[in-house]
């Protein structure tokens, strides 16, 4: 008999969490599971990519903090009617209301942690609810450690890790799209960094590192956010305005990553940064900060990439210059080959199989 699995998220807009959800629901074995996808609001670019075999339900209540009570009531009524075998909350801001609703109706509830969990004044309250979930699923060992240490949740068998995945075939295919940009012409050392222009991404450290780089280096920031104007002003203050380009949101970032000489992730905290895995799949060497959440989950220093001390722009500049130096071509080639072998472990097939093992043993 098939198990009924329901996944819950706020929407299907383009984002890391939404992409993983899209991969998972499409990748699960439909002969074993009847899959439902419950959304606060059915909207977003991934909506049209969900398999027709998956029942998509819309609560018709756009997610916001002020809307949480309405969402909670509609969620309770949905569960009262449908009663899935397992309910999976895929968004951190929906976790608590998911636990409350499921426990009231004796529905098994699995909670996903897509990113690093910091300490807060509400840690004890969060611990009270999270210890009542049936499974706690972290995207990396570093995230799991933050759940255990910062939320004071015992490290038990219900506290597990399922790492994110990447669609290697799709990434490589989309990276072939042509780019017509005059600043990409010529022999330049191109540094690419992708992400929302927000404080936790710490793009400042890469901008400050630009002052120490040779003039042939070009930095491309792909993404948008509330700190764009601040970062543009900082680039101008550093005298790097002509060597730093802010390209905004790009529907296809892979064509730019493919052109990169090196990819940089400068974040203060991460869950499991799939963009690094995507860059690896395209044969681009990666430089990552030792972010909160444990960089070693995705990169082995000097083997599959390079790790620099968080917020240290001098060490970041040195790492970039290492990959730029022609004397290090063989080392660069070895790192690229190692990383391309490493990224195969993060396929959609393996990702879905890991979830299926958890569902089967629940």
């Amino acid at each position: 008999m098939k198990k009924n699995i329901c996944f819950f998220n706020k929407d299907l807009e383009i984002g890391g969490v939404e992409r993983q959800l899209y991969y998972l629901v499409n990748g699960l074995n439909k002969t074993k599971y009847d899959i439902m996808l419950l959304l606060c609001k059915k909207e977003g670019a991934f909506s049209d990519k969900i398999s027709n075999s998956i029942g998509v339900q819309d609560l018709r209540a756009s997610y916001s903090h002020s809307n949480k009570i309405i969402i909670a009531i509609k969620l309770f009524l949905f569960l009262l009617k449908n009663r899935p075998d397992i309910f999976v909350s895929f968004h951190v801001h929906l976790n608590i209301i998911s636990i409350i609703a499921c426990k009231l109706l004796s529905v098994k509830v699995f909670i996903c942690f897509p990113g690093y969990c910091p300490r807060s004044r509400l840690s004890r309250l969060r611990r009270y609810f999270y210890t009542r979930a049936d499974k706690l699923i972290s995207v990396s060992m570093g995230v799991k450690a933050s759940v255990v240490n910062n939320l004071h949740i015992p490290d038990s068998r219900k506290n597990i890790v399922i790492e994110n995945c990447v669609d290697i075939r799709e990434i490589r295919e989309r990276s072939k799209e042509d780019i017509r940009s005059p600043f990409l012409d010529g022999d330049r050392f191109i540094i690419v960094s992708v992400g929302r222009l927000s404080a936790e991404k710490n793009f400042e450290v890469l901008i400050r590192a630009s002052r120490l780089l040779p003039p042939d280096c070009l930095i491309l920031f792909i993404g948008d956010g509330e700190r764009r104007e601040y970062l543009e002003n900082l680039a101008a203050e550093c005298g790097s305005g002509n060597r730093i380009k802010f390209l905004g949101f790009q529907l296809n970032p892979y064509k730019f990553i493919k052109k990169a000489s090196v990819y940089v992730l400068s974040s203060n905290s991460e869950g499991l940064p799939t963009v690094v895995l995507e860059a690896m799949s395209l044969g681009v060497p990666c430089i990552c900060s030792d972010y909160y959440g444990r960089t070693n989950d995705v990169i082995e220093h000097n083997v599959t990439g390079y790790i620099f001390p968080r917020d240290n722009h001098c060490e970041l500049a040195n790492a970039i210059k290492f990959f730029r130096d022609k004397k290090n071509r063989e080392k660069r080639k070895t790192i690229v080959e190692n990383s391309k072998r490493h990224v195969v472990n993060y396929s959609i097939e393996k990702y879905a199989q890991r979830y299926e093992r958890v569902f089967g043993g629940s």
Side-chain angles (χ1 to χ4, degrees):
M1 185 176 177
K2 289 184 180 181
K3 278 189 176 179
N4 295 309
I5 313 291
C6 182
F7 294 90
F8 185 34
N9 199 51
K10 60 186 183 68
D11 54 41
L12 288 172
E13 295 288 0
I14 291 178
V17 171
E18 290 72 26
R19 185 179 297 277
Q20 294 302 310
L21 179 57
Y22 150 63
Y23 288 153
L24 179 56
V25 296
N26 283 345
L28 287 170
N29 188 335
K30 306 304 186 295
T31 64
K32 293 181 179 179
Y33 306 104
D34 281 325
I35 300 167
M36 286 187 290
L37 180 56
L38 179 65
L39 303 170
C40 295
K41 188 76 171 177
K42 186 182 177 182
E43 59 185 3
F46 288 120
S47 297
D48 296 333
K49 296 186 176 183
I50 300 298
S51 169
N52 292 331
S53 64
I54 296 166
V56 181
Q57 300 290 323
D58 185 358
L59 291 182
R60 301 181 185 276
S62 296
Y63 174 80
S64 67
H65 289 293
S66 61
N67 229 11
K68 274 191 173 181
I69 294 177
I70 294 173
I71 292 171
I73 293 170
K74 290 191 172 188
L75 171 60
F76 181 84
L77 294 174
F78 169 85
L79 289 172
L80 188 63
K81 179 181 178 181
N82 293 277
R83 293 193 181 258
D85 295 310
I86 299 173
F87 187 83
V88 185
S89 174
F90 226 72
H91 198 284
V92 66
H93 295 306
L94 299 172
N95 285 347
I96 300 297
I97 62 174
S98 296
I99 294 169
I100 294 171
C102 287
K103 291 295 113 176
L104 286 172
L105 295 170
S106 300
V107 174
K108 283 187 177 180
V109 58
F110 291 7
I111 297 300
C112 296
F113 292 98
Y116 178 82
C117 292
R119 285 189 175 92
S120 77
R121 294 178 181 177
L122 298 176
S123 290
R124 287 189 177 183
L125 181 63
R126 292 159 72 193
R127 179 186 184 278
Y128 173 83
F129 288 109
Y130 284 137
T131 53
R132 281 152 178 79
D134 295 280
K135 291 287 184 186
L136 301 173
I137 303 172
S138 299
V139 298
S140 70
M141 290 299 296
V143 171
K144 178 183 175 182
S146 73
V147 170
V148 171
N149 298 327
N150 295 342
L151 299 183
H152 308 292
I153 293 175
D155 187 4
S156 64
R157 291 180 65 182
K158 75 175 184 179
N159 197 347
I160 64 173
V161 173
I162 299 179
E163 295 167 322
N164 287 341
C165 66
V166 290
D167 189 339
I168 297 172
R169 286 189 294 271
E170 181 189 16
I171 291 165
R172 289 175 178 169
E173 188 61 34
R174 293 180 66 190
S175 72
K176 297 174 183 177
E177 184 180 320
D178 288 336
I179 304 176
R180 295 180 181 179
S181 296
F183 52 81
L184 291 177
D185 295 337
D187 187 20
R188 305 196 71 170
F189 190 87
I190 299 171
I191 303 152
V192 172
S193 196
V194 179
R196 181 170 177 79
L197 304 184
S198 55
E200 69 273 9
K201 297 300 182 182
N202 196 20
F203 290 122
E204 294 96 316
V205 70
L206 180 51
I207 293 173
R208 293 191 177 99
S210 68
R211 294 181 297 184
L212 306 177
L213 298 176
D216 67 327
C217 290
L218 173 67
I219 298 173
L220 304 181
F221 287 114
I222 299 173
D224 227 325
E226 63 274 10
R227 289 171 71 87
R228 178 165 181 165
E229 184 178 354
Y230 163 74
L231 293 171
E232 288 175 334
N233 290 337
L234 180 62
E237 290 172 14
C238 291
S240 304
N242 293 330
R243 295 192 290 122
I244 296 178
K245 303 294 181 183
F246 291 85
L247 304 185
F249 171 76
Q250 296 289 327
L251 195 59
N252 180 8
Y254 308 120
K255 60 184 179 181
F256 293 97
I257 296 174
K258 179 67 175 177
K259 295 284 187 182
S261 308
V262 70
Y263 183 87
V264 171
L265 183 128
S266 54
S267 299
N268 289 323
S269 66
E270 287 283 350
L272 190 141
T274 52
V275 67
V276 171
L277 300 173
E278 291 166 349
M280 287 180 174
S281 73
L282 294 174
V284 178
C286 296
I287 301 172
C288 291
S289 63
D290 59 345
Y291 55 79
Y292 292 113
R294 215 171 79 163
T295 314
N296 289 340
D297 285 337
V298 68
I299 278 185
E300 184 178 354
H301 181 62
N302 228 19
V303 177
T304 57
Y306 191 96
I307 300 172
F308 72 96
R310 184 176 55 257
D311 209 31
N312 189 322
H313 70 277
C314 294
E315 286 298 320
L316 173 55
N318 288 338
I320 292 170
K321 286 187 279 189
F322 172 86
F323 283 108
R324 178 183 171 277
D325 194 331
K326 293 180 180 179
K327 293 185 297 184
N328 299 319
R329 279 181 176 174
E330 285 304 312
K331 181 62 177 178
R332 173 195 173 97
K333 182 179 178 182
T334 300
I335 287 175
V336 167
E337 289 173 351
N338 289 341
S339 64
K340 288 175 81 171
R341 284 194 294 269
H342 173 66
V343 79
V344 174
N345 296 315
Y346 298 88
S347 69
I348 294 174
E349 293 77 15
K350 290 184 178 181
Y351 181 58
Q353 287 166 9
R354 288 168 187 141
Y355 265 94
E356 288 177 9
R357 284 196 291 271
V358 175
F359 294 153
S362 64

